[in-house]
Amino acid sequence: MEHTKCLIIGSGPAGYTAALYAGRANLEPVLYCGLQMGGQLTTTTVIENFPGYPEGVDANQMMMEFRQQAERFGADIRDGIVTDVNIDQKPYVVTTDRGDQISADTIIVATGASAKYLGMPDEKKYAGQGVSACATCDGFFYRKKVVAVVGGGDTACEEAIYLAGLASKVYLIVRKPFMRASEIMQRRVEENPQIEILYETNTEGLYGERGVEGAHLVYRRGEADERKYDLPIGGFFLAIGHTPNTGIFRGKLDLDEVGYIMTQPGTAKTNVPGIFAAGDCADSVYRQAVVAAGSGCMAALEADRFLSC
């Protein structure tokens, strides 16, 4: 069976940064890219908030540069999806979707998280053209525009408040007659003159010739006073949560109630010695590329120290 000192699962900012640092430490890491090469970041267009790119950079280009830098220091980056991990023995053994098996002294999990969508075909149609799942990432492109945020939790409120500092107006679309957000977040949204809350409202579709120009909405769907109407907007932001890509680790690593990998505070260490987690699969709070890259660095440094003990 093939063996490596360090195996990395995932190819976003966390995975590639981990591969860079592990490569520089002569760990000769093997990285499996997973389902989406470059990670969730590649679903957006231009990245303007990552240090070192004063003019902004295409997301796919940036991830390709991450990859090239990791390969320069000896990282073996492979296509493929890890479908199973056996941590009941040492070295650990992973299995890929092609049936290949490789053993590893350490594993860095950087599988990321996937934004939840409503399931409308228009979300894919307008991806990168008005549809976004990250206001912090893309809000800058919607300055002085009218935008909408979908969701009723704390995340949706935070996104709406953030966008209110950029956009001319923000609609918060809430499908229930109430919000799930904490009381303080609800109050901040309600008191913000830039935000209008649309309760009991569902989005049925989007429209526009050159990107999103509006949303097809329905008020009190299925009720006697149901009303359908179009809302002109220039941006549509999903804030209904994320799903961490950690299914293969359920019952093997400690996960929180949502599925995020739990790490020891201030570290990338999981509850299993020699297994580390980095990026959005272990971060339910920040979900930013620069934070993910930093945690990838932490995971690689800790893997190196683990192997040196």
Side-chain angles (χ1 to χ4, degrees):
M1 183 183 298
E2 184 182 3
H3 179 76
T4 182
K5 297 176 185 176
C6 180
L7 187 136
I8 302 166
I9 308 173
S11 59
Y16 282 148
T17 303
L20 165 63
Y21 275 80
R24 282 173 54 86
N26 293 321
L27 300 187
E28 299 177 337
V30 173
L31 180 150
Y32 281 98
C33 287
L35 189 63
Q36 189 173 41
M37 186 182 300
Q40 185 183 186
L41 195 69
T42 57
T43 63
T44 188
T45 51
V46 178
I47 305 300
E48 293 196 326
N49 57 359
F50 198 94
Y53 296 95
E55 302 301 322
V57 61
D58 177 81
N60 286 280
Q61 177 188 338
M62 187 172 82
M63 285 297 91
M64 184 56 67
E65 291 173 354
F66 270 46
R67 173 174 179 150
Q68 291 169 349
Q69 192 172 8
E71 289 178 324
R72 176 189 168 200
F73 291 102
D76 181 354
I77 298 177
R78 306 175 180 180
D79 294 334
I81 302 169
V82 172
T83 56
D84 186 54
V85 179
N86 183 347
I87 63 173
D88 294 329
Q89 62 185 49
K90 289 186 178 181
Y92 306 120
V93 177
V94 304
T95 304
T96 73
D97 55 337
R98 297 175 182 175
D100 299 327
Q101 290 191 318
I102 180 171
S103 62
D105 296 318
T106 61
I107 295 176
I108 296 175
V109 184
T111 49
S114 300
K116 294 180 181 178
Y117 286 81
L118 298 174
M120 303 182 300
D122 289 339
E123 290 171 314
K124 292 183 178 179
K125 176 181 177 182
Y126 293 107
Q129 300 180 66
V131 172
S132 171
C134 181
T136 310
C137 307
D138 301 326
F140 185 77
F141 301 109
Y142 299 88
R143 289 173 298 169
K144 307 303 180 183
K145 292 186 178 182
V146 178
V147 300
V149 177
V150 178
D154 279 350
T155 298
C157 289
E158 289 170 2
E159 302 272 85
I161 292 168
Y162 175 80
L163 289 167
L166 298 169
S168 61
K169 185 178 182 61
V170 179
Y171 290 100
L172 182 59
I173 302 173
V174 184
R175 65 184 178 89
K176 295 184 178 181
F178 58 87
M179 284 190 279
R180 296 178 291 101
S182 59
E183 187 174 333
I184 188 171
M185 291 304 296
Q186 291 188 47
R187 187 165 64 250
R188 288 174 180 171
V189 166
E190 291 167 348
E191 294 175 352
N192 193 310
Q194 297 291 102
I195 302 173
E196 181 178 342
I197 306 170
L198 305 178
Y199 287 110
E200 297 185 82
T201 301
N202 286 272
T203 307
E204 292 194 328
L206 302 169
Y207 63 88
E209 293 296 324
R210 298 181 180 178
V212 171
E213 296 176 2
H216 302 301
L217 303 182
V218 55
Y219 172 71
R220 289 177 57 82
R221 184 163 58 190
E223 301 298 328
D225 57 347
E226 174 183 298
R227 177 169 61 90
K228 294 186 177 182
Y229 64 101
D230 289 344
L231 180 71
I233 55 173
F236 186 76
F237 291 83
L238 283 303
I240 55 177
H242 286 72
T243 301
N245 304 321
T246 57
I248 61 173
F249 297 100
R250 192 167 299 279
K252 300 176 182 180
L253 297 179
D254 285 347
L255 311 178
D256 68 11
E257 64 276 7
V258 178
Y260 289 95
I261 298 174
M262 299 177 68
T263 56
Q264 297 177 25
T267 78
K269 299 176 182 176
T270 70
N271 61 301
V272 178
I275 298 185
F276 308 90
D280 287 8
C281 66
D283 175 14
S284 62
V285 179
Y286 300 105
R287 296 194 297 270
Q288 296 297 303
V290 68
V291 178
S295 66
C297 166
M298 291 169 56
L301 293 176
E302 290 177 354
D304 186 36
R305 291 168 186 163
F306 177 83
L307 291 169
S308 299
C309 293

